[in-house]
Structures are given as structure tokens and as C-alpha cells.
Amino acid sequence: MKKLIMKTILAAGIAAVAIPASAKTELQWWHAMGGRLGEVVDEIAKNYNASQSEYEIIPTYKGGYEDTMTAGIAAFRAKQQPHVLQIFDAGAATIINAPGATIPVADLMAEHGKGFNSNDYIEGVRYFYADSAGKMIGMPFNSSTPLLYYNKDAFAAAGIANPPATWEEFEAIAPKLKAAGYTALAQSHSPWILSENFHSRHNIQLSTGNNGYDSTDVKILYNNDHMKMHWGKMKEWLDAGHYGFFGRAWGDNQDAFVQKKVAMWMGSSGSFGGLKKSTDFEFGTTFLPYWKSIIDEPKGTFIGGAALFAMSGKSDAEYKGVADFFAFMTNNENQVFWHKETGYVPITTAAYNMAKADGYYNESPDAEIGILQLSQPGGEWTKGYRLGYYVQIREVMYKKYDDILSGKSSVEKAFSEMESESNALLERFAATYK
Amino acid sequence: MNNINWRILSNHIILLLGVLFMSLPVWVAFSSSTHTAETILREGLQFWPGPTFIETYREAMFEAGGVMKSVLGVTMLKNSLILGIGFAVGKVIISMLAAYAIVYFRFRLATPLFWIIFLTLLLPLEVRIIPSYEIVAGLGLLDTNFGLIVPLIASATGTFFFRQFFKSIPDELLEAARLDGATPWRFFIDMLIPLSKTMIAAILIIMFVVGWNQYLWPLIMTTKEENYTLVIGIKQIYQILSDGGELPQYQKAFALTIMATLPPVLVVLFFQKWFVKGLVESEK
Amino acid sequence: MKRVQFEHSTIPYLFIAPQIAIIAIFFIWPAAQAIHQSFLLEDAFGLSSQFVWFRNYVDTIGDAAWLQAAWFTIIFSVLVTFLSLGIALLLAVKANEVIRGASAYKTTLMWAYAIAPPVAGLMGNLMFHPLIGDLYKFFNAIGWEFDHKLDSFDAGFVVVLIAVWKQVSVNFIFFLSGLQGISKAVNEAAMMDCKSPTRRFWTITFPLLAPTTFFLMVINITYAFFETFGIIDTTTGGSPGGSTNTLVYKVFQDGFRGADLGGSSAQSVVLMLIVLALTVIQFRFIERKVHY
């Protein structure tokens, strides 16, 4: 209690006194970027702080995505929230639906004269962290999209010229890869790749209520024939030795590709940097396959990763700094820098064009594939989704997929249970906001 | 005669199997830590020690590892020591005081307070982990040593150990002291504490191990890498090792594992006598 | 409890104050908070909350995932308790019988007590690692298609094995001291009455060990319920498909990962009640023991 009173007095004192021009306003930034990514974050922060003298942004690594969100939530409840918080895709509904927890980035930028036009952003990036009217609430930060990586040596050994564009083609070439000693396919993060982006690629509706953007009172639509068909096939492929499942951990499935157990791996557009270092074979990148039987002209995918949110409860002067920092982050040079160093996609078309003009994609064509896929024409259902308790729903999905692949449950039963359990979660979430 | 030999033989065999079962994993961990990453990846876990003992341990201890590459093995070692020692000492002091009050004083709130303390035995930290986190966050104690150690002392195990022990001390001692005009404080310092030396030693050892091995609470309330203890630092590092992208450094993981195990094991081994006594006395 | 005691009125309060203060702030307050939150449906940021009576409880107990976790917790606890007690008892009896090398055996069987559960979990994880784990290779070699990432039985096996491994030492220490507490006179009398060591054990020694055994059962069940969090978090994380989730792990997942405070608080309260019930049962048994 005493601490709280002290803090209030202090805060009031600071607010009452005009901030002298020489003292830098500190902006706290909590993020979940570790390892190499964290180093790049630190560098960007350093560059920003050196580029002007009014604000100082201080990045702090808070753990993985969930841990960072939890830390942000706890801090907010204790009125000690940072200025900028990084929230991942599964947490978007939680933070965007909390009434007044954040200042929408579109409003923030407009208010502080930084100008904001969502059409500046690449198609697949624009809508995920926006509201149903298209106003962007969070600023996409580390964005990636799922892609197919394939082992060129393996393909050569099996006598296959091109990677499969469709799942039908995949079925045709898988036996040839098996004959050459490879399991054809593995993938990481099945909910992200084989559910959410599956729906986007085939332009299938993911949930009612405009994929969840219109309201919280929604039901999930995963229990559809297309998904069931695909997952039935996955089980078939697993049994036939064309598909390998190495557990839930992202790295285990990626390792299988690196260790040449599988010839193809579906991962993130940001994975190619790490793959370049760890593989001793030539690999290629291409778009996510689709079923020709479902859609003729496949649509693009949407972004995974996370966005930066401006937390509410700060002073106007501080928001001016946050807006300034966001503008810095989204200028072309920094976008291209971030893109090149981390493999995440640049979020604005202008930055993308700049990288193109630089000739970056001539040296590194893999880097472009993700952006190309994100820039593909959008459909009605390529904007992404906004679903509450989505971390738990992903758990349900993982569980049911495990059951399907291990044979414990039939596809029909697993999807029906997935539907009812997810809807129970969605209902709880909706009840929270009545 | 034959019967007896068979029996003794089978006894030894069973015991040896038991020893192997318990010791082999740690031995393999140690051996594997003394090889290079490539060897482990190629051949699997190693049984015989290899050539890179000094190199691996030097790297694990002194080279910045961890997710943000800012935490050293030595730093985590230091944090674990602070936690283990701080927790053990804090627990002993507070429990002794409380147990003394309960056993040697007649005061009005004695019974209700005793039951409150007893209640904490029933509900381990895990069931109140999230509100505990919120409270500590609200008090601004995240990432502090105080916030790390003090909430762990909120369970009554130490108080109970000392309560049982104090109750076993004969009444005559206190009677004699009162006849001599001793104040409660003097009695505590001059008579009770010296008498409890063995018990204190035992509890210090047990609690050091408990504190050092804490997992869930430090995991949640330290958010900055430099505050990691060895036990949770290992988990984070294992995660990076398996997140793909680089050659998995299993030998470093094993080295850290050995480092996380060594202090408490050494403490238990050296102070075996007191340790066992304390553990078993507490049961009575 | 007739005791000689001091009659001062302030000193005891002073002495007991630190412990009570800590308990009040870090035990009672969080526990009360958990109970309070279990009746609310609150958005994670605390900006809107509604009182929903027992909805969280109904949602929890009716949730298939919770029931699965509850079921696994029971099976897991029973297995870990009986296996580690059994192995420890066997080893303690033998260690008590042998003369040569007795203290060496005792030392080497004891020290594993000091290993933290998560550390045991990490070591076990690497032993079972598909790429480098000897145990993984071993099981596959003898024909068991071992895959603890996919198969829930295999995953359960791994978790139980590691949990048992960790716990054998503690039980061993207590059993050993319990055995050594049985007076020589009893042993000699027994030896005269009964030639067969096995029968001696079951008719005389084991009943005398009953108090120790019951005490250990409670400790083991508590261990299996709560302290194995570290093992599960560092090995399977509840996979595959939530089949190795224990109740306490689920509280952590829903509250800490899923930001569902109402739900996880309700689960915490239910867990509190279960532990309370188990403790009451324990006390019934200890009551019996006192009269031995």
C-alpha cells in the first residue's frame, strides 16, 4: 500500500512538472525475441536511441510468447505496464478485446502526426491485428508465413524435377521419395500451418462472425469436410511412410529435415536463415501446397508471429515517443534491416520494393517466397482470425491431431470433439465480455 | 551353508542393481559432458569420459549462454546459492522463533495461530501459484531476491520440525532456568539454541537442498535472464538447444546438469549423518 | 500437553510475528485471492469482471481435458508411490542385511535425493531423445516401438520412470532408518521363532514398519501430485494430447499460458479440496499409528 501511494505521488509529481528538454523520456519495451533475434532487437533500439535525443527505448526480454503476455498482463493489473508490449497471434483476441487496454496503433500514429495508411502494408499483413473495420490495432512486428522447404538433393535422387504445388502432386511424388530412402514430409506447428493457413489458402471460413472479427460470440468451423479429408490423408500418409511426425516441438520436426530423414518440411518463412547454417545439402523454398480439388486459384496466407501494442495508461508525451519509435521501426531502412537480419518479412510494400531494388532477392531468392505468398490476392477468408482463449484452443487442436495420428481416434470423432471443446472455450471467452 | 551364500549373493546383486539404476544416468550425463557436440550427435550418449572436460565446463560456466546470451553459468550458480542459503537460513530463523513461541508460551492466540500455521502444510505453493505471482508483482518484487525467497518461507515445515524437537526437551530445563531468573530471550539464546545445534544443522542442510531445487516459483517470478537459477536456466537452455537452427550443444546441457546437481549432492554426502538424522527426526 | 511455560504476553507475539506475517501475505492472501477469482469471469487485464457463481467450477469439472488430467494424476500417483516404495523397501531391507560394503551401498543409494525433479526430467529427456538417447534406442531394439512423442502410454512410461527414479532415495532413507529402529531384541526373538527370512519379514518386520510406510505414502502422494511438475514440464509438457497432464500442470497451463484466471483459480480451489481430503485421510491413519 505504502509503495502504491509513493508511486502515485511520484507519478503525479512528474506529470505536474514539465519535462526538461535534456532528460530523455524512457520507453519500456517488453518482447519475446531471444537469441539472435534479441540481438537484432537490441541493435534496432540502440540505433533509435542514437538517432534522436528525446526518447530512449529500453527493450527487455521476458521469455517466450506466452510468458511475455503473462508478464504484460500481470504488470498491467499492477499498473506497472510497459509502453510497448509484444503479443503473439494466439493472444491477439485477449489483448484486443480487453476494453481500453491498448491504444490502437492507427489512432496513435494519426494523433501524433505520423500519418498512417493501412494500404501501405502488404496484403497478408494488414488485417490480422486490425478490427473488423480494418483499423490496425497492433503494429505487426515479426511476421512470417508458412512455407514448404524441400531437399533438392533428395529430389534429384528420386528423379523429381519440381517441388509439388498441389497436394495431388505430392501424393504422386511421395512414393518416389520413399523409394529413394526418404520420408516425404514433416511439418512443425500443425495448428498454424495445417489449420489456420490451410483455411486461408483454400479461402475457407474459419469461424462464424467474420472469422471472429465481428464479435466474441462465435463458433469455430474447423469441423468441415475439407479439413477432415486432409487429416484423413495425413493419417494415411503417416501409415504409408510418406509423412513423419516428430512430436510437438518445432525444432524436432525441423531437425528431421536437417538430418535428412524427410525430404520436405513445412515451416516458417523465417526458418531459412537457420536452415542455411545447419543443412549440408541444397534446399529450396516454395509456396504451401493446396488441394486442386478444393480450390483452383489458391489464395495467400496470413502472418504468424507477433505485433507490438501500445499499452494504455501512459502520458501524452510518452505516446509521442512511442509513435516516433513506431515510425522509426516502419521506415524502409529499418524494415529491410530487420528483414535481412532475421528472415521475417518486411511489412510495408515500400520496404519490400526497396529490398527488391537493392537486388537482395537475386542473391537470396528464398527470402522473397514468403512475401510473394503473402502478397497473393486475398480472398474473403485470408485476413486471419480473432478468437479468444486461442492458446487453449490450440492445445485442443494439438491433442486431437495427436489422437488422429496415433490412431487413438477417428478423424470424425476427433474433429467433432475439437469443435465442441473449442466452442466451450469460445463461449467462456464471450461470457467474459458481456 | 549353501543357503546362506545364495542369500548373501542375491542381496548383493539386488543392491548392485539398485546402485546401477540410481547412478548410471548421472554417470552417463557426466561422461557425455566431456565430449564434443559432434561426437554425441554421431554416436549418441557416451559411457566413457572423453577429452573435453575442461573446455566444456569452462564454456558452460564462463561463456555467455542463455537465450539473450547474457547469462553465465557462474551467474546462475550464484543465484542458486543465494536462493539455497537465503532460504535455508531464513527458514531456520523464522521457524525457530515461531516454534519457540508456540511451545514455551501460554498466550491467548496460541491455538488459532498454531492452526493457521498448520494450514500451510496442507496447501503447497502450486495451488496458489498464480495469485502469489500477482501479489509479488503488485508489490514490485518480481526479479528480486526478496520476492524469490520470502514467499517460499510461507510453509510451516520448519516450524513443525522445531516444534516436535522442542517438545522432546525435558521440562526440567526450563524450570531450572526460571529458578535462575532467566528471561525468555536468554533461555532461548543460552540454552535452547545450543541444544538444538544438531537439529539446526540438519534443517539447514535439508532446506538448502529444497531451496536450491526450487523450480516452479523461480520459473515464474524471474523474468530477466540474469536472475535465473541453475535449475531453471537449464530448462531454458535445453529449449534453445532443441529449437533447431544450430548444432545442438548437448554436452553443455549435460555440463550444466552436473553443475546443478553437484552442490546439493555434495552437501548431502558430506553431512550425511546430520542430514539423515534431521530427516528422520522430523517424522516423529 | 502439560508443559512448563512462560507467561509473558508480548514476547510470544513478537517471536511468532515474522512467520505469521509471511503466511498472511504470501499464503492467506493468495489463497483468498484464488478463491475470489474462481467466482469471477474476468478478462485477463482485469478491466472487466463479472460474478458468475459456480460457472467456473462447472466448466472445469465438466471439461474433458480436466477429467483426463484428474484421471492421469490418480494413476500416476498410485504407480509412482507403489513402485518407488516397493523398490526402496527392497533395497533398504537388503542394505540392512548385508555386512560388507553396507555403508557404501547406503551412501550411493541416498544421494539422488538431492537432485531436483526438473533436472532429473532433463536428464531423462536426453536419455530418451530420438537422436541420441540410449534408452530410446534400447527399447526400440528389443521390439517395443517406442515413441513417447506420439504414444501416450510411452509418454506416461517415461514420466513415471523418472518420477520413481527420483523418489527411491527418499523412501530408502526412511525405510532404512525404520528398519534400524526395530530393536535387536525383537529381531533375535523373531529369528528364534521363525527360520525363514522371508516369512520373518512379512509377519514381523513389515507390520513394524507400517507407521513409516504410511508416512511415506503420504509424502509420495504429495510428491506425485505436486513436485513432479518439474519432471513433466521438462519432458513431455503434457503431450501427447494432454495425456501426461497432471492437475497442477493444468492449473499452470490455463493460468499462465492461457490467461484464463477464473478457470485456473477454480481448478486451484478444487485441487486444494482434494489435498485437504487426502490429508484428513492421512490423519485418520496416523491416529491409528499412534496407538501401536
Side-chain angles (χ1 to χ4, degrees):
Chain A
M1 212 41 217
K2 193 163 167 222
K3 243 188 162 118
L4 192 59
I5 298 178
M6 288 296 293
K7 286 196 174 130
T8 319
I9 297 178
L10 206 56
I14 290 183
V17 175
I19 301 174
S22 51
K24 278 189 161 194
T25 312
E26 271 187 17
L27 306 171
Q28 297 289 341
W29 177 18
W30 288 5
H31 65 88
M33 307 273 86
R36 170 84 191 118
L37 299 173
E39 289 172 17
V40 183
V41 162
D42 281 343
E43 228 185 298
I44 294 185
K46 220 171 32 167
N47 293 340
Y48 175 68
N49 294 335
S51 76
Q52 45 76 45
S53 57
E54 263 186 86
Y55 309 101
E56 184 171 350
I57 190 117
I58 304 177
T60 312
Y61 172 72
K62 285 298 197 183
Y65 284 138
E66 289 108 346
D67 293 334
T68 303
M69 182 164 87
T70 307
I73 290 176
F76 188 86
R77 294 171 79 103
K79 309 241 183 309
Q80 294 176 37
Q81 68 274 27
H83 298 81
V84 179
L85 182 64
Q86 181 188 23
I87 297 283
F88 64 133
D89 50 5
T94 305
I95 191 168
I96 294 183
N97 274 303
T102 67
I103 312 274
V105 67
D107 291 342
L108 180 77
M109 303 296 270
E111 236 176 81
H112 294 273
K114 299 291 179 185
F116 192 87
N117 185 352
S118 63
N119 287 319
D120 289 343
Y121 296 82
I122 298 181
E123 170 84 32
V125 163
R126 217 178 288 161
Y127 297 107
F128 194 89
Y129 295 99
D131 65 16
S132 53
K135 176 164 81 166
M136 287 174 78
I137 318 273
M139 167 85 75
F141 176 53
N142 52 316
S143 309
S144 61
T145 199
L147 295 177
L148 180 71
Y149 292 91
Y150 62 101
N151 184 336
K152 286 190 179 161
D153 295 345
F155 271 53
I160 309 173
N162 291 315
T166 66
W167 288 113
E168 285 91 350
E169 281 173 42
F170 169 80
E171 285 196 296
I173 64 170
K176 292 194 209 167
L177 286 165
K178 188 159 176 222
Y182 293 90
T183 306
L185 179 71
Q187 106 286 327
S188 302
H189 210 317
S190 27
W192 184 50
I193 302 184
L194 287 175
S195 320
E196 299 149 30
N197 279 288
F198 182 88
H199 280 254
S200 179
R201 198 100 171 96
H202 298 94
N203 205 18
I204 312 173
Q205 189 172 4
L206 209 154
S207 87
T208 60
N210 194 12
N211 267 9
Y213 282 89
D214 284 346
S215 99
T216 51
D217 197 358
V218 294
K219 294 208 182 310
I220 204 112
L221 295 173
Y222 279 141
N223 188 12
N224 60 61
D225 292 332
H226 302 304
M227 280 283 271
K228 286 191 274 197
M229 180 271 284
H230 182 78
W231 277 91
K233 287 281 186 183
M234 297 275 286
K235 175 75 173 117
E236 260 180 52
W237 295 336
L238 179 73
D239 292 337
H242 299 318
Y243 169 69
F245 180 63
F246 299 88
R248 261 181 68 159
W250 180 284
D252 289 341
N253 293 289
Q254 183 173 345
D255 271 345
F257 180 68
V258 171
Q259 304 294 332
K260 296 185 268 205
K261 291 215 189 97
V262 296
M264 289 184 275
W265 172 67
M266 290 191 287
S268 154
S269 58
S271 312
F272 76 85
L275 283 178
K276 265 218 165 44
K277 275 198 266 175
S278 57
T279 50
D280 58 1
F281 54 84
E282 234 203 299
F283 66 88
T285 325
T286 184
F287 294 158
L288 220 51
Y290 63 97
W291 285 102
K292 202 133 174 79
S293 57
I294 302 183
I295 191 167
D296 247 347
E297 299 264 336
K299 303 292 176 200
T301 50
F302 52 79
I303 47 172
L308 299 180
F309 287 82
M311 305 302 290
S312 63
K314 302 290 177 189
S315 74
D316 216 41
E318 290 163 296
Y319 283 129
K320 193 151 170 291
V322 177
D324 194 53
F325 174 63
F326 279 176
F328 179 82
M329 287 282 322
T330 50
N331 73 26
N332 292 345
E333 288 77 29
N334 286 310
Q335 279 294 305
V336 176
F337 174 67
W338 176 248
H339 170 47
K340 283 194 189 171
E341 294 297 319
T342 61
Y344 284 118
V345 306
I347 56 179
T348 57
T349 326
Y352 171 44
N353 288 334
M354 183 166 132
K356 249 200 298 205
D358 265 356
Y360 177 53
Y361 302 117
N362 296 333
E363 5 162 320
S364 210
D366 296 321
E368 208 184 354
I369 309 281
I371 309 172
L372 288 172
Q373 192 174 275
L374 283 170
S375 309
Q376 294 216 320
E380 219 190 328
W381 305 114
T382 58
K383 58 171 74 102
Y385 57 88
R386 175 79 34 83
L387 297 171
Y389 287 150
Y390 201 66
V391 173
Q392 288 96 313
I393 293 184
R394 273 189 175 161
E395 284 297 314
V396 173
M397 291 163 75
Y398 274 120
K399 183 155 53 128
K400 298 307 171 193
Y401 293 152
D402 280 345
D403 286 345
I404 293 179
L405 291 177
S406 65
K408 224 162 89 172
S409 166
S410 72
V411 173
E412 206 49 62
K413 179 155 167 281
F415 270 91
S416 139
E417 285 174 357
M418 188 193 300
E419 183 175 37
S420 53
E421 286 176 33
S422 305
N423 282 337
L425 285 163
L426 287 172
E427 218 224 307
R428 262 180 73 81
F429 190 77
T432 315
Y433 294 98
K434 282 225 179 38
Chain B
M1 274 316 279
N2 265 340
N3 277 345
I4 303 179
N5 278 342
W6 261 124
R7 184 160 184 85
I8 296 186
L9 188 62
S10 71
N11 282 353
H12 280 275
I13 292 181
I14 293 179
L15 283 171
L16 278 172
L17 282 176
V19 170
L20 275 179
F21 175 60
M22 297 306 291
S23 314
L24 208 53
V26 183
W27 173 252
V28 170
F30 174 70
S31 299
S32 303
S33 72
T34 57
H35 289 263
T36 62
E38 289 82 6
T39 319
I40 300 181
L41 271 176
R42 242 198 344 241
E43 302 171 23
L45 298 175
Q46 296 295 314
F47 187 75
W48 301 109
T52 63
F53 174 73
I54 299 194
E55 195 186 314
T56 310
Y57 280 86
R58 189 188 51 80
E59 274 178 26
M61 293 274 273
F62 297 109
E63 261 177 32
V67 178
M68 286 299 272
K69 301 243 187 302
S70 65
V71 65
L72 306 175
V74 209
T75 315
M76 294 197 287
L77 189 70
K78 177 188 67 133
N79 290 331
S80 286
L81 275 173
I82 295 179
L83 174 58
I85 297 179
F87 174 71
V89 170
K91 200 121 170 113
V92 166
I93 294 178
I94 295 194
S95 340
M96 278 195 83
L97 289 175
Y100 181 52
I102 294 176
V103 174
Y104 279 98
F105 289 83
R106 195 174 8 243
F107 57 105
R108 228 171 345 146
L109 289 181
T111 319
L113 285 180
F114 172 72
W115 283 106
I116 291 180
I117 297 181
F118 178 71
L119 200 61
T120 67
L121 278 182
L122 304 179
L123 300 173
L125 180 67
E126 285 82 359
V127 292
R128 48 189 159 93
I129 190 87
I130 290 162
S132 296
Y133 174 77
E134 286 184 10
I135 289 171
V136 168
L139 291 173
L141 290 173
L142 286 183
D143 282 308
T144 62
N145 278 324
F146 188 86
L148 181 60
I149 297 177
V150 174
L152 291 172
I153 304 186
S155 93
T157 38
T159 313
F160 260 69
F161 286 177
F162 283 112
R163 172 186 183 258
Q164 301 301 99
F165 179 66
F166 287 164
K167 281 174 80 174
S168 72
I169 295 179
D171 281 353
E172 291 75 43
L173 201 67
L174 181 55
E175 278 171 10
R178 286 177 89 192
L179 280 177
D180 281 346
T183 64
W185 183 242
R186 279 264 74 95
F187 177 68
F188 185 61
I189 303 276
D190 293 338
M191 306 228 65
L192 218 48
I193 293 189
L195 261 182
S196 320
K197 264 208 291 240
T198 339
M199 199 62 187
I200 295 180
I203 300 297
L204 274 177
I205 295 166
I206 296 176
M207 291 303 158
F208 173 78
V209 173
V210 170
W212 177 282
N213 286 342
Q214 278 301 308
Y215 182 63
L216 181 54
W217 179 243
L219 182 70
I220 293 184
M221 56 82 63
T222 57
T223 55
K224 300 216 191 99
E225 276 209 324
E226 59 257 19
N227 294 324
Y228 282 174
T229 60
L230 265 179
V231 172
I232 56 178
I234 295 186
K235 158 126 197 264
Q236 313 291 39
I237 290 177
Y238 267 60
Q239 230 170 342
I240 310 194
L241 296 183
S242 60
D243 258 350
E246 291 174 5
L247 196 64
Q249 302 281 308
Y250 292 119
Q251 87 284 12
K252 274 204 229 167
F254 280 126
L256 284 173
T257 309
I258 298 292
M259 267 167 40
T261 313
L262 219 45
V265 167
L266 286 177
V267 162
V268 164
L269 280 181
F270 279 133
F271 301 106
Q272 204 183 17
K273 223 180 23 179
W274 286 335
F275 167 73
V276 174
K277 183 164 193 227
L279 206 57
V280 171
E281 285 289 310
S282 61
E283 171 207 347
K284 305 215 178 86
Chain C
M1 260 232 314
K2 57 160 178 68
R3 271 210 75 84
V4 179
Q5 289 177 319
F6 287 103
E7 295 277 349
H8 288 237
S9 52
T10 49
I11 296 210
Y13 290 107
L14 280 178
F15 276 30
I16 209 173
Q19 170 97 81
I20 296 291
I22 297 183
I23 290 183
I25 303 179
F26 295 108
F27 182 88
I28 299 188
W29 187 4
Q33 188 106 310
I35 298 180
H36 173 64
Q37 270 179 342
S38 70
F39 291 111
L40 299 175
L41 254 190
E42 212 179 2
D43 93 282
F45 288 88
L47 294 166
S48 77
S49 75
Q50 329 154 37
F51 190 76
V52 288
W53 287 106
F54 288 96
R55 186 200 170 121
N56 287 330
Y57 290 94
V58 172
D59 283 351
T60 294
I61 315 271
D63 179 21
W66 188 87
L67 289 170
Q68 181 189 38
W71 185 234
F72 178 73
T73 309
I74 295 177
I75 300 186
F76 178 71
S77 309
V78 167
L79 276 176
V80 169
T81 301
F82 281 106
L83 282 175
S84 63
L85 280 180
I87 297 179
L89 184 59
L90 177 65
L91 290 173
V93 168
K94 297 307 172 188
N96 202 30
E97 274 183 32
V98 299
I99 306 176
R100 276 209 295 193
S103 61
Y105 281 128
K106 290 172 192 173
T107 309
T108 44
L109 286 173
M110 244 204 287
W111 63 264
Y113 165 86
I115 300 187
V119 175
L122 288 170
M123 280 202 299
N125 209 18
L126 285 178
M127 309 271 154
F128 281 101
H129 196 285
L131 279 182
I132 64 169
D134 284 342
L135 283 177
Y136 184 84
K137 295 183 195 159
F138 169 69
F139 283 118
N140 276 304
I142 62 174
W144 178 355
E145 260 188 62
F146 195 85
D147 187 356
H148 60 290
K149 308 270 189 181
L150 250 196
D151 184 283
S152 40
F153 181 81
D154 294 348
F157 177 80
V158 169
V159 180
V160 168
L161 182 65
I162 299 178
V164 167
W165 182 85
K166 163 83 184 72
Q167 193 63 349
V168 165
S169 284
V170 177
N171 297 335
F172 175 76
I173 295 175
F174 278 97
F175 272 135
L176 195 59
S177 90
L179 283 171
Q180 291 174 340
I182 298 177
S183 74
K184 278 202 160 276
V186 174
N187 272 333
E188 281 167 11
M191 270 203 263
M192 284 195 289
D193 281 342
C194 190
K195 284 300 175 189
S196 150
T198 326
R199 258 196 53 196
R200 261 206 318 267
F201 177 74
W202 288 110
T203 52
I204 313 254
T205 321
F206 192 66
L208 280 177
L209 273 182
T212 312
T213 313
F214 278 130
F215 170 74
L216 283 178
M217 268 215 295
V218 172
I219 297 227
N220 277 263
I221 292 183
T222 312
Y223 164 75
F225 257 68
F226 296 109
E227 287 170 61
T228 47
F229 178 92
I231 296 181
I232 295 180
D233 199 33
T234 52
T235 51
T236 61
S239 321
S243 58
T244 52
N245 257 348
T246 54
L247 286 174
V248 82
Y249 199 74
K250 194 159 185 313
V251 166
F252 172 75
Q253 272 194 331
D254 285 347
F256 239 77
R257 298 266 135 100
D260 178 4
L261 296 170
S264 70
S265 303
Q267 288 175 47
S268 295
V269 173
V270 172
L271 203 49
M272 277 191 228
L273 293 173
I274 295 181
V275 173
L276 227 61
L278 283 175
T279 315
V280 167
I281 299 179
Q282 165 202 354
F283 261 77
R284 285 286 156 82
F285 278 126
I286 295 222
E287 291 273 62
R288 243 193 269 161
K289 153 202 172 181
V290 168
H291 298 304
Y292 263 33

